[in-house]
Amino acid sequence: MTVLDVGCGFGGTLGRLSERLPTARLVGVNIDHRQLARALPTRARFICADGCALPLPSAAFDAVLAVECIFHFPSRLTFLQEARRVLKPGGRLSLSDFVPADNADTDNAASRWLENQVAKGYGRQSTWSDGDYQAMADKAGLVVEQDQDVTRLTLPTYLYLLSNGIARAVTGRGHVPIRSTFLLFLLSALGAVRYRLVVLRKPGDPPPGQDDGEAATPAEEAEQPHERGVVGKAPVFFAPRLRSS
């Protein structure tokens, strides 16, 4: 099995997959070389590159992941198109995303203030100019297999982050963006922002008679340096990202 984690951060997801899938070929892509430099050693190969312009061969991966990162990309649709390109027929893209409950009226002073405050702690989100996930999947040539709202499962994480942030602020042991975290918690609890898990499939079936070992061959090419990316081994650091569990 070949797995690509786009927006892999410090490599935490790949570190877990390395333990659970000991024979899988794992590749991580991240635009920030500083995070890759701090990742812990795993079997995964890392590429410093743009998730919307992947320097990887087409039809090379059985699965693509995008954990809590797609909202930072310049275009969700462009990334979905790139994910479709690098997926094998029948391969799946699994992602998590913060989705506004209503995009009808976001261009007002209150919405802009909230967006700016959250962005100070968690970065600015890209716009929703290409429609919802069903509309984007249709444009990208993908099939939506799952689109699940798991917001309520994420709420305890905010409370942990807030208490941890206050403790860190008091003891001077680090920094957690308390205001941004509280506002994101409030928006989630009130239903203005929804945390969704989405699974999309590339149509088609894998070529008959191709086992996992044979199918992994294109990913070996992905492990080599490319013109737009730098590949290397790096440490896995489990970042305190907002998780659904």
Side-chain angles (χ1 to χ4, degrees), residues 105-118 183 187:
D105 185 25
T106 58
D107 189 19
N108 57 68
S111 295
R112 288 193 297 271
W113 182 86
L114 286 169
E115 181 181 353
N116 289 335
Q117 295 304 310
V118 172
L183 288 174
L187 291 169

Side-chain angles (χ1 to χ4, degrees), residues 105-166:
D105 185 25
T106 58
D107 189 19
N108 57 68
S111 295
R112 288 193 297 271
W113 182 86
L114 286 169
E115 181 181 353
N116 289 335
Q117 295 304 310
V118 172
K120 289 179 180 179
Y122 294 102
R124 190 166 299 280
Q125 289 205 27
S126 55
T127 63
W128 283 87
S129 57
D130 296 304
D132 60 12
Y133 270 103
Q134 184 60 63
M136 288 189 290
D138 293 340
K139 295 176 185 177
L142 295 168
V143 177
V144 177
E145 288 195 336
Q146 176 182 333
D147 186 354
Q148 184 180 1
D149 184 343
V150 295
T151 308
R152 66 178 183 84
L153 301 178
T154 69
L155 298 181
T157 302
Y158 293 104
L159 300 179
Y160 165 78
L161 289 173
L162 287 169
S163 61
N164 183 261
I166 293 171

Side-chain angles (χ1 to χ4, degrees), residues 178-236:
I178 296 175
R179 177 186 291 183
S180 299
T181 303
F182 175 74
L183 288 174
L184 196 52
F185 165 69
L186 193 62
L187 291 169
S188 300
L190 295 176
V193 173
R194 314 306 297 167
Y195 191 102
R196 306 195 73 88
L197 303 180
V198 185
V199 179
L200 306 104
R201 176 176 51 84
K202 180 176 180 176
D205 298 318
Q210 189 176 52
D211 61 27
D212 284 348
E214 294 170 332
T217 302
E220 294 176 351
E221 178 183 347
E223 294 178 358
Q224 303 304 317
H226 287 256
E227 180 179 354
R228 289 179 292 173
V230 178
V231 181
K233 296 181 179 178
V236 176

